[in-house]
């Protein structure tokens, strides 16, 4: 019996190997490169900006474009699914893998950051993408259309059309594992409708693990695998002291000044002269940094000047005492003022006492902090430190995400590490990110699935900034890597005897 | 000899009396009222907004209009004098009073506050002034064209043309005292070029006392005489931490946040939870409140709800512990945040760490504080409390005025009190103002002349606000009052034997 299983496995490996060769040949067709480039230029020309209501039609146009592309690629059940918000999700699947093969949910997002506000700073118009000096240039050519959305679709198409394989017995052509695709349309605004969407469609989306095509590598020759991301919470504190601004000569010194009151209130939120948060309980649930965490930090070999201060023109690192910059970014929470305003902000001066002041605060959270608990702590702190003669209101700003963390040694992480090492020439470093992909914690919570970040964004691609770009070489590498990964996942699952049922090490 | 002097004085009084009757008859001509109203409607139609460069041509147009009006009124040496800035001063004089009569400098300003920014809130267009319900409506109909600039010109014209009088011996018609007029064009922007102007023209402008037609009364039937105004100093503190904003996930917690640093810096400027200034030395030169000051405060009978909180919709008075609201406004300095800004201030949230934050601060000063000393104290405080990893810069915002104070019992104050009591039915209350007229301290400093505020603005005229207005009844009262005042000043100077030389009680 054992021998039979071993023989069958060997035969399967051999079939898979010829199947993969066919897929790679498909990718390498002479007409392929042009077609793949055209796809990105078409998709990136659609200004699918999730932040701006005037672009909601473009989000639908992008979803429609993807629906046609997914159908042309051979995916099944291609659907545009509504969320509770104005931005849909695009879903597709292909569930004809051999019995016992696991199911992966591939995640990416087709919405992009705004660009009109920075248009004068772009060398070419942000929504007229073009190829120049070996790179695509345009909003979304990296994040997430070029580095995330298209490569796995192109890989799936190549496997489905590349000949070889086949589900046997005249059935449809097979993939090495079962695949579901979920393309989100509101990642850039903090995925405000994702959780109810996952709750509603948890059966449709059920998977053994998630593969996120949103994220990035450290460099073109240095892969990284993301073990964690910080969560986030954004809220606005507003202080109102009167119905109207008033001449500062007429009332200055005799009524409350909301800008002064706000400065006094905010200053109680951190220890004096420091950035460590003074809100009681803020750090209570923060996990201590482990030796394994420190090993990853040492292996990462962070260059503070090159990777943090230099690009910003900042004079020195600044943060919680007793931690290095990378510890602060990967393992420590922070509370930042992201915006603040009151009174007259034009040239010169208008001598008024303002009647209103506000601050927008964004916390980045780490395990086991939760956005709800931190929100309650901030609210209690504001109530306890509210200056006199002020009305305060606090509102949530639609950005509320749990922190995410996973063990290093999962089967999909091992598969991804193997593929990346072979293709990029170096083994991956295990990283964390100070930023947030709300979906990852949400998948963990609603689908009980961990996420391997298999993504090809690069640090110098100007994400969220003018002149976003993405190298053609990385775009090519990404679709190749997705082919390799899908076969590697099939092989590891088969050889490890790990089907969909065993999530213990995912 | 004494008898002769007494007889001559009696004859002079009698001549003055018939002269005044002539002037009052001139004011009351049937065609007069229409002409006076037309003058204000014409002058207020010129948008002489000093704050806006695009209106500098209108300032010149207003100066030209005034030049013609002053010449038509019979004033002499009418000149448009340049300042070091783009806004001129209009000067005129009439110096043919009997020997020994004092010289008054009448001050007002022909520039106005901006109105375009609030145009939608006006019931009629701000620069198309009109008469409605017994009031003028339009920008500047009160401050300072209707309540200040035109009434003394109309009074001087009436005295010069009203018959009677005459300098005797075929000379030019006389005024009871010598008069110089100085109409400023930049009061509403803090008179930034006034001091060098006064230094340059101090001989031309030399006077025994100043009469300010800028200022106001308490109510139509309750006169007030202003004994003091607070000084002012406005400056901007800017903190810069990097060259650019950065994604708060990518750097939050590892670099300085200028908005947090600004809140921390600002919070050191006041005692916690209070509005008393914590900058060392800030109160060192503040004069204690005297019993006489408290008597004036009690006599003023301030209604905090009616006169301060109600119109603002503020819930409670708030200021330095141990002082009443009126003490705070009249006798205590204050340091206010008039504007503050950093990072993203639009709808929703952009999760960045900003690279820049600023606060505009305005101090209101009382004797014997000086703007230069307070500026130095603030600069030293910022340097001493500057958070780490910040570059700070401080710039002056073109508003720098000394506090002003004068004794109650001066000859011009007595003359003004007598006239106001007779015309308005009640004796004046002696007030101070928390606001600033930079010219008054500047006159004291450069011309060694105190100022009697003889002005007819009203608290409910919406100065600096939409729907500025001024009652026709007050406009009529003002020109009558100026005639009475000029004769009263002549009489008091003559009877008291007080000529131009004795400034001891001015």
């Amino acid at each position: 019996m054992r021998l039979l299983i071993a023989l069958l496995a060997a035969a399967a490996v051999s079939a898979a190997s010829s199947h993969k060769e066919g897929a790679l040949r498909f990718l390498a067709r002479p007409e392929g490169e042009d077609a793949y480039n055209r796809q990105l230029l078409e998709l990136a020309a659609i200004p699918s900006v999730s932040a701006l209501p005037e672009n909601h039609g473009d989000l639908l146009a992008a979803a429609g474009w993807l629906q046609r592309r997914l159908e042309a690629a051979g995916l099944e059940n291609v659907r545009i699914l509504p969320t509770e918000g104005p931005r849909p999700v695009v879903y597709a699947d292909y569930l004809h893998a051999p019995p016992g093969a696991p199911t992966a949910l591939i995640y990416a997002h087709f919405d992009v950051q705004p660009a009109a506000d920075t248009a004068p700073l772009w060398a070419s118009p942000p929504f007229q993408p073009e190829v120049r000096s070996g790179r695509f240039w345009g909003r979304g050519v990296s994040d997430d259309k070029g580095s995330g959305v298209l490569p796995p679709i192109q890989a799936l198409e190549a496997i489905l059309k590349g000949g070889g394989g086949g589900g046997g017995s005249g059935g449809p052509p097979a993939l090495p594992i079962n695949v579901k695709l979920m393309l989100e349309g509101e990642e850039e605004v903090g995925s405000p409708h994702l959780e109810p969407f996952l709750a509603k469609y948890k059966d449709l989306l059920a998977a053994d693990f998630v593969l996120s095509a949103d994220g990035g590598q450290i460099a073109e020759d240095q892969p990284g695998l993301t073990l964690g991301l910080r969560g986030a919470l954004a809220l606005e504190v507003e202080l109102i002291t009167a119905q109207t601004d008033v001449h500062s000569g007429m009332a200055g010194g005799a009524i409350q000044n909301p800008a002064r009151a706000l400065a006094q209130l905010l200053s109680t939120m951190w220890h004096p002269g420091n950035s460590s948060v003074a809100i009681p309980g803020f750090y209570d649930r923060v996990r201590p940094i482990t030796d394994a965490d420190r090993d990853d930090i040492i292996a990462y070999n962070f260059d503070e000047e090159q990777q943090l201060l230099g690009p910003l023109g900042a004079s020195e690192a600044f943060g919680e005492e007793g931690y290095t910059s990378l510890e602060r970014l990967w393992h420590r929470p922070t509370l930042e003022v992201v915006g603040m305003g009151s009174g007259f902000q034009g040239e010169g001066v208008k001598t008024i006492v303002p009647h209103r002041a506000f601050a927008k605060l964004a916390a980045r959270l780490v395990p086991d902090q939760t956005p709800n608990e931190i929100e309650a702590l901030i609210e209690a702190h504001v109530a306890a430190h509210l200056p006199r003669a002020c009305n305060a209101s606090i509102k949530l700003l639609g950005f509320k995400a749990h922190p995410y963390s996973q063990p290093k040694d999962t089967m999909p992480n091992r598969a991804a590490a193997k593929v990346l090492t072979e293709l990029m020439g170096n083994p991956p470093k295990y990283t964390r990110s100070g930023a947030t992909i709300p979906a990852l914690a949400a998948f963990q919570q609603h689908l009980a699935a961990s996420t391997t970040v298999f993504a090809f964004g690069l640090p110098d691609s100007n994400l969220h900034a003018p002149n976003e770009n993405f190298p053609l070489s990385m775009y090519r590498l990404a679709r190749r890597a997705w082919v390799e990964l899908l076969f590697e996942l099939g092989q590891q699952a088969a050889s490890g005897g790990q089907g969909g049922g065993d999530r213990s090490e995912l």
Side-chain angles (χ1 to χ4, degrees), chain A residues 181-195:
Chain A
L181 247 114
M182 177 189 157
L183 305 176
E184 199 194 0
E186 56 174 28
E187 196 275 342
E188 298 293 3
V189 289
S191 304
H193 306 97
L194 181 63
E195 298 225 14

Side-chain angles (χ1 to χ4, degrees), chain A residues 388-399:
Chain A
R388 261 182 52 205
C390 282
N391 278 318
S393 64
I394 299 187
K395 72 173 179 214
L396 209 59
L397 293 176
F399 206 105

